[in-house]
Amino acid sequence: GSKRLPGKFVWADLITDDMQALSELVKNSYDADGTRVRVVIDTNVLTDAVTGEVISEDSREQSDETPRETLRGSITIEDDGIGMNLDAIRRGWLTVSLSHKQEMKARGETTAKKRTPLGDKGLGRLGAQRLGDVLTLTTRTRDVAEESPPLKVSMIWSRFAAADSLNAVPIEVHRLPPGTLKPGTTLEIRGLRDPEFWKQNETNDLQRELAAMISPYEGVAGFRMTLVGERDVALR
């Protein structure tokens, strides 16, 4: 049989660098017919490597006697798009395959807002996987029907390293109380693989590069991207 290297994901080779990884996530917000997407980068947040929980100042002081492995940094991508139901989460985040977006592009079809999809199914998930180890996804569809409640999914990618496939790893999807989220999707990625990359780059440079990667043309009508970098976070 083929030899598997722990922690290596062959599919992840489709994402070549951190900027492309982030751009794939912003493309998903565009494809979800969002009017805005907000990206917040903070390299100072600490996360417990075992539980995936954020380590607060209080808990740090209380656990001095038990040193814990910590992960650093976070990137949050928040949009006001159409959101996802449980089926969309399963298809879009728990599998990597040919996508309906590719089929739409091939047939010249567009979204409800007449947008040609920019992203590909699975690449957003791979982008999140490349950027950091812990993912929290919260989402609510614009449809207020009872069968599409607000949802929260948490994943720690390192737990998948020894699994033959994502299907072998139980993914917890929690229903949130109605009204707890605005329509749209928020991805919080913590335990960044390369926090120094984001710390060293100027916000304006990142914004320009990200905009260039997302759109082959200047400006997208009805879609606004905001990037909050290290300096902005420190001033908040």
Side-chain angles (χ1 to χ4, degrees), residues 56-113:
S56 66
E57 291 289 343
D58 291 342
S59 65
R60 249 179 278 179
E61 292 171 5
Q62 293 168 8
S63 62
D64 286 343
E65 69 285 352
T66 313
R68 60 173 98 179
E69 185 186 350
T70 58
L71 306 170
R72 188 159 66 90
S74 72
I75 295 177
T76 304
I77 301 101
E78 177 186 2
D79 69 50
D80 62 349
I82 59 174
M84 288 183 282
N85 58 21
L86 185 57
D87 185 54
I89 291 173
R90 283 179 175 147
R91 288 185 291 107
W93 281 90
L94 308 185
T95 59
V96 180
S97 64
L98 293 177
S99 77
H100 68 284
K101 290 185 183 181
Q102 289 168 318
E103 293 168 1
M104 285 177 68
K105 283 186 267 191
R107 291 195 294 258
E109 296 175 357
T110 59
T111 68
K113 286 194 175 182

Side-chain angles (χ1 to χ4, degrees), residues 35-54:
T35 63
R36 59 170 179 79
V37 61
R38 186 168 184 262
V39 178
V40 180
I41 298 169
D42 184 349
T43 61
N44 296 312
V45 174
L46 293 181
T47 298
D48 188 303
V50 176
T51 65
E53 298 295 323
V54 173

Side-chain angles (χ1 to χ4, degrees), residues 158-177:
S158 56
R159 292 180 183 171
F160 299 152
D164 290 333
S165 73
L166 285 178
N167 293 332
V169 180
I171 306 293
E172 293 187 5
V173 180
H174 298 283
R175 289 184 175 219
L176 300 176

Side-chain angles (χ1 to χ4, degrees), residues 109-169:
E109 296 175 357
T110 59
T111 68
K113 286 194 175 182
K114 306 300 181 187
R115 294 177 182 176
T116 299
L118 296 177
D120 287 309
K121 179 180 169 185
L123 290 190
R125 195 209 83 192
L126 292 172
Q129 186 174 306
R130 179 185 176 98
L131 290 174
D133 191 43
V134 180
L135 170 75
T136 302
L137 181 157
T138 51
T139 186
R140 178 187 149 197
T141 62
R142 286 181 187 164
D143 179 9
V144 294
E146 266 186 49
E147 58 267 29
S148 297
L151 299 172
K152 177 180 179 179
V153 183
S154 297
M155 306 180 209
I156 300 180
W157 297 115
S158 56
R159 292 180 183 171
F160 299 152
D164 290 333
S165 73
L166 285 178
N167 293 332
V169 180

